[in-house]
């Protein structure tokens, strides 16, 4: 009888010991899962749920088997499996958003709702930024009237159904830095009548007074009065005018707005493949202006980065049938050429694709990107020959 009683006591002791060790293994796993999930910055509710789901089945199996020592040896293996579960949970419940909430962006060159400037404004608004516009003075009245009358309402719709709003729209002509630079015939031109403080320096002062510091500067400007002329027929005035309006205006804007920008801010401009490839018909000094813009982007990235801690990039956009582009006269041919010969063939470029790229480049996600020319053209820039050329066999 004494022997039987002692045997039962020993059996109960061993059973309690196994349960204690199993519970210890359970606590060890729970603690390590909690540390891992916390390092991944998961929500507290997700951490607790993951811990319970990942450890309960393991602990139950361990207790039923009664093999506590083996369970402790399996902690390392279970920890790896649990880590994979935590990562899968994180992937299914989180995203990598472009968050520009609280940021202020100034965009120069928006005068309608079908160009790259508008698309950039929409993408920045979608990301949460407050958008301020600078619109070419002669186009300001028509633009504001259309905006007020709701003609842009369909284009203003954001993903949540709300309409994009502009914090303010300023008159602006980026060809002139100060009023001393404005010739008399422009000052008295009726298209400028009723507007004031529209030179680059004056607009910068108004923005600082109304909004303080800004975070994003967008140059969406280009103009060449002799763009339809071959370079050999372009006048000095026409050539320098294209450089002034399309390239130097970017420098002037950064000169005046740079001191108003918060450290970590970003400056974006728009360029075109004609800067480095021959595009017959894109003349009047415009190809030279785009080449200068890209070169300036690299230099300004260094200078503005060292001086103000801001980034400077440019987007080389593919052909788009915007109102401004139609002035060239052969934009439809360029669109067809791109859709035939680009790596992503039969895919027309959408302006919002450029807008989304700009939003990325202006966000903290692109904090190490500066001095770059980023191509958004369905890959057309990669091509060396035209796949539809009659002199080259089809190798697609």
């Amino acid at each position: 009888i004494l022997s039987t009683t002692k045997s039962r006591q020993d059996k109960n002791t061993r059973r309690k010991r196994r349960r204690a060790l199993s519970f210890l293994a359970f606590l060890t796993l729970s603690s390590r899962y909690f540390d891992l999930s916390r390092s991944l910055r998961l929500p507290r509710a997700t951490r607790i749920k993951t811990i319970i789901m990942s450890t309960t089945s393991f602990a139950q199996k361990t207790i039923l088997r009664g093999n506590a020592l083996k369970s402790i040896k399996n902690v390392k293996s279970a920890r790896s499996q649990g880590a994979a579960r935590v990562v899968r949970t994180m992937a299914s419940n989180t995203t990598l958003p472009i968050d520009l909430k609280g940021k202020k962006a100034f965009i120069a060159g928006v005068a309608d709702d079908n160009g790259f400037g508008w698309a950039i404004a929409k993408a920045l608004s979608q990301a949460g930024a407050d958008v301020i516009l600078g619109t070419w003075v002669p186009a300001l009245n028509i633009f504001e009237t259309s905006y007020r009358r709701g003609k842009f309402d369909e284009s203003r719709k954001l993903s949540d159904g709300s309409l994009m709003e502009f914090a303010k729209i300023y008159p602006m002509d980026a060809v002139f830095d100060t009023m001393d630079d404005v010739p008399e015939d422009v000052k008295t031109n009726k298209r400028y009548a009723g507007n004031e403080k529209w030179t680059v320096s004056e607009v910068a002062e108004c923005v600082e007074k109304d909004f303080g510091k800004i975070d994003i500067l967008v140059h969406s400007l280009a103009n060449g009065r002799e763009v339809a002329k071959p370079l050999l027929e372009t006048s000095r005035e026409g050539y320098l005018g294209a450089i002034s309006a399309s390239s130097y205006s970017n420098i002037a804007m950064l000169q005046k707005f740079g001191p108003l920008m918060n450290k970590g801010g970003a400056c974006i401009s728009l360029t075109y493949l004609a800067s480095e490839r021959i595009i017959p018909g894109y003349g009047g000094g415009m190809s030279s202006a785009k080449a200068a813009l890209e070169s300036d982007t690299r230099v300004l990235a260094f200078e503005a980065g060292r001086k103000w801690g801001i980034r400077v990039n440019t987007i080389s956009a593919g052909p788009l049938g915007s109102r401004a582009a139609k002035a060239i006269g052969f934009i439809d041919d360029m669109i067809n050429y791109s859709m035939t010969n680009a790596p992503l063939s039969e895919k027309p470029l959408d302006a919002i694709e450029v807008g989304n790229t700009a939003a990325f480049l202006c966000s903290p996600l692109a904090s190490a990107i500066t001095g770059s020319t980023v191509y958004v053209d369905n890959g057309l820039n990669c091509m060396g020959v035209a796949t539809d050329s009659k002199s080259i066999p089809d190798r697609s």
Side-chain angles (χ1 to χ4, degrees):
I1 293 173
L2 291 174
S3 176
T4 302
T5 302
K6 184 178 180 181
S7 176
R8 288 176 179 174
Q9 289 176 345
D10 291 343
K11 188 175 181 179
N12 290 336
T13 300
R14 288 194 297 272
R15 185 182 296 114
K16 290 179 180 178
R17 185 178 300 166
R18 284 197 300 269
R19 289 177 178 176
L21 290 175
S22 297
F23 187 64
L24 175 62
F26 178 83
L27 291 178
T28 302
L29 278 172
S30 299
S31 176
R32 293 183 178 180
Y33 280 126
F34 187 83
D35 291 341
L36 176 62
S37 60
R38 183 171 55 184
S39 68
L40 290 172
R41 297 183 179 178
L42 297 178
R44 181 178 179 84
T46 303
R47 296 204 302 265
I48 295 173
K49 182 178 178 181
T50 304
I51 290 167
I52 293 173
M53 292 178 61
S54 302
T55 58
T56 300
S57 61
F58 177 82
Q60 287 174 341
K61 291 179 182 178
T62 302
I63 292 171
L64 290 174
R65 284 197 304 264
N67 194 350
L69 292 175
K70 186 176 180 181
S71 71
I72 293 176
K73 290 180 181 179
N74 287 338
V75 165
K76 184 175 181 180
S77 174
R79 179 186 176 190
S80 300
Q81 295 172 5
R85 290 171 185 162
V86 171
V87 171
R88 286 196 296 271
T89 301
M90 180 187 71
S92 62
N93 289 285
T94 62
T95 58
L96 188 65
I98 296 177
D99 187 0
L100 297 175
K101 294 183 181 67
K103 304 295 185 181
K104 287 173 283 190
F106 180 84
I107 305 177
V110 178
D112 55 45
D113 66 339
N114 66 355
F116 290 129
W118 179 274
I120 293 173
K122 190 171 183 178
L124 295 179
S125 296
Q126 183 70 57
D130 295 324
V131 176
I132 310 159
L133 297 185
T135 299
W136 188 45
V137 184
L140 179 64
N141 184 52
I142 295 176
F143 178 72
E144 286 189 318
T145 300
S146 299
Y147 180 76
R148 286 194 306 268
R149 292 180 178 178
K151 292 185 177 181
F152 300 149
D153 283 359
E154 188 62 31
S155 301
R156 290 170 60 197
K157 284 185 180 179
L158 302 177
S159 61
D160 62 358
S162 63
L163 297 181
M164 173 176 61
E165 299 286 350
F166 300 124
K168 192 166 184 176
I169 304 174
Y170 293 94
M172 184 177 185
D173 192 330
V175 171
F176 306 107
D177 297 336
T178 67
M179 283 304 295
D180 292 337
D181 302 324
V182 183
E184 193 61 31
D185 63 320
V186 174
K187 290 180 181 179
T188 57
N189 190 307
K190 63 180 182 180
R191 296 193 298 172
Y192 286 77
N195 295 289
E196 58 181 14
K197 297 182 179 180
W198 41 262
T199 63
V200 176
S201 60
E202 290 174 314
V203 174
E205 291 172 0
C206 290
V207 170
E208 182 180 24
K209 180 180 177 181
D210 295 339
F211 298 96
K213 294 280 188 177
I214 65 171
D215 305 278
I216 298 166
L217 183 66
V218 179
H219 176 276
S220 180
L221 301 167
N223 185 37
R225 288 175 292 177
E226 299 181 15
V227 66
K229 292 183 178 181
L231 195 58
L232 283 174
E233 298 176 14
T234 301
S235 68
R236 182 184 297 272
E237 182 182 4
Y239 183 92
L240 296 178
I243 294 287
S244 175
S246 309
S247 178
Y248 185 81
S249 55
N250 188 46
I251 299 173
M253 283 178 56
L254 196 51
Q255 284 178 350
K256 306 304 180 183
F257 282 88
L260 315 182
M261 297 184 68
N262 289 311
K263 187 175 182 180
C267 177
I268 296 289
S269 63
L270 294 170
T271 185
Y272 181 48
L273 190 61
S275 64
E276 55 186 288
R277 300 284 190 273
I278 300 170
I279 309 290
Y282 193 75
M286 282 302 301
S287 59
S288 305
K290 293 301 185 182
L293 181 69
E294 293 180 18
S295 178
D296 294 341
T297 294
R298 293 184 285 272
V299 177
L300 292 172
F302 171 76
E303 295 182 358
R306 292 296 182 89
K307 190 170 186 177
W308 298 306
I310 62 179
R311 298 177 292 108
V312 183
N313 294 291
T314 189
I315 297 173
S316 183
L320 179 76
S322 64
R323 186 175 304 166
K326 288 185 181 297
I328 299 174
F330 64 98
I331 188 63
D332 292 334
D333 294 333
M334 293 307 301
I335 292 173
N336 292 333
Y337 178 88
S338 178
M339 291 179 64
T340 302
N341 295 287
L344 299 178
S345 61
E346 300 301 324
K347 175 189 174 300
L349 180 70
D350 195 320
I352 198 60
E353 294 175 302
V354 172
N356 291 338
T357 303
F360 162 72
L361 289 173
C362 292
S363 76
L365 297 178
S367 59
I369 302 176
T370 191
S372 297
T373 298
V374 180
Y375 297 94
V376 185
D377 61 357
N378 289 325
L380 186 62
N381 69 92
C382 300
M383 301 303 295
V385 297
T387 58
D388 62 344
S389 174
K390 295 180 181 179
S391 60
I392 299 177
D394 184 8
R395 291 189 173 88
S396 59

